[in-house]
């Protein structure tokens, strides 16, 4: 699959992403106002660019932690089996937690992660997803905050990969195969 020739058509510009993140961060700052500390949990690897930009716009005491769950392999096929490949370093019991995800697709990954983290009894747990593909949902889950709703297209860039490539694109684009 990764050997098929493809181009990337821009879907969401770097400027549009930055503007949306400013607005999201304002809402998040407002929602958690007064917290002693907000634990921001990035789901690796796709959210690493998003979380970096988002935390710099959040005006609260923030701790950053990461969790890696397997979802997609190296292709575009969704997998229902969610495994934790890397767990949090810190405790979240009694903490305010914000989970940061790149894309909510079928919803399996986020549902699994949410249940896992809720079992650790945080004071409050909210979710911020950069992208949402509502038409693909198989498990009913919604992020508290969503950057952009997008159609059922395979996207890359801004941290999001195609077979580990294209994460460094500053914008979000959709993959278009040239061989039909
Ligand atoms: P879900 O469990 O909701 O089906 O899967 C969510 C995960 O699948 C996302 O966090 C992301 O890693 C991956 N994913 C979903 N849609 C896309 C896409 O269009 N492009 C890429 N590269 N990954 C995607
Ligand atoms: Mg992800
Ligand atoms: Mg991936």
């Amino acid at each position: 699959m990764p050997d098929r020739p493809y181009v990337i058509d821009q879907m969401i510009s770097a400027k549009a992403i930055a503007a949306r993140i400013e607005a999201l961060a304002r809402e998040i700052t407002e929602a958690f106002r007064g917290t002693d500390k907000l634990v921001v949990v990035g789901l690796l690897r796709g959210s690493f660019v998003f979380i970096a930009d988002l935390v710099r716009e959040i005006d609260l005491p923030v701790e950053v932690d990461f969790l890696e769950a397997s979802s997609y392999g190296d292709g575009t096929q969704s997998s229902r089996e969610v495994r934790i490949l890397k767990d949090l370093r810190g405790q979240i019991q009694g903490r305010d937690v914000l989970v940061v995800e790149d894309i909510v697709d079928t919803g399996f990954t986020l549902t699994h992660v949410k249940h896992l983290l809720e079992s650790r009894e945080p004071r409050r747990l909210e979710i911020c997803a950069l992208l949402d593909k509502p038409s693909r949902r198989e498990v009913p889950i919604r992020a508290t905050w969503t950057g952009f709703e997008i159609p059922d297209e395979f996207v890359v860039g801004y941290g999001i990969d195609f077979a580990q490539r294209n994460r460094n694109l500053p914008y979000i684009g959709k993959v278009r195969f040239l061989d039909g």
Side-chain angles (χ1 to χ4, degrees):
M1 184 90 98
D3 293 333
R4 289 171 64 192
Y6 66 94
V7 292
I8 296 164
D9 299 324
Q10 182 172 295
M11 190 184 224
I12 308 171
S13 70
K15 216 174 146 187
I17 296 168
R20 186 71 188 114
I21 286 175
E22 255 188 62
L24 289 171
R26 265 200 305 274
E27 289 183 29
I28 291 164
T29 300
E30 235 14 84
F32 286 98
R33 175 83 63 209
T35 185
D36 52 330
K37 182 170 75 178
L38 178 64
V39 182
V40 182
V41 173
L43 301 193
L44 293 171
R45 282 173 267 178
S47 72
F48 82 103
V49 177
F50 180 39
I51 194 175
D53 283 345
L54 186 66
V55 292
R56 283 180 290 176
E57 299 287 342
I58 294 177
D59 189 16
L60 296 169
V62 154
E63 179 177 314
V64 175
D65 206 339
F66 292 99
L67 187 144
E68 184 170 11
S70 69
S71 47
Y72 279 44
D74 273 351
T76 60
Q77 200 80 1
S78 180
S79 141
R80 273 146 208 271
E81 212 193 309
V82 181
R83 283 180 307 139
I84 301 302
L85 303 179
K86 184 211 168 291
D87 206 339
L88 298 179
R89 287 287 290 276
Q91 309 287 321
I92 57 164
Q93 185 170 29
R95 293 278 165 213
D96 290 322
V97 176
L98 178 71
V99 175
V100 175
E101 171 65 311
D102 55 354
I103 310 177
V104 191
D105 190 49
T106 63
F108 282 106
T109 308
L110 208 48
T111 301
H112 183 90
V113 167
K114 190 177 179 216
H115 286 156
L116 174 73
L117 297 184
E118 271 173 349
S119 75
R120 297 176 187 178
E121 302 176 325
R123 176 162 50 203
R124 180 171 173 195
L125 187 147
E126 307 290 349
I127 299 165
C128 181
L130 179 63
L131 304 174
D132 187 3
K133 296 181 186 174
S135 68
R136 294 260 310 159
R137 199 73 89 254
E138 292 180 41
V139 207
I141 187 162
R142 273 188 66 88
T144 319
W145 295 280
T146 297
F148 303 90
E149 284 195 3
I150 59 168
D152 182 14
E153 304 271 8
F154 191 77
V155 297
V156 293
Y158 198 71
I160 302 164
D161 73 301
F162 177 32
Q164 302 309 326
R165 288 186 292 187
N166 311 120
R167 288 194 199 271
N168 56 327
L169 281 178
Y171 55 87
I172 289 165
K174 57 182 178 186
V175 168
R176 177 161 53 91
F177 290 102
L178 296 172
D179 56 8

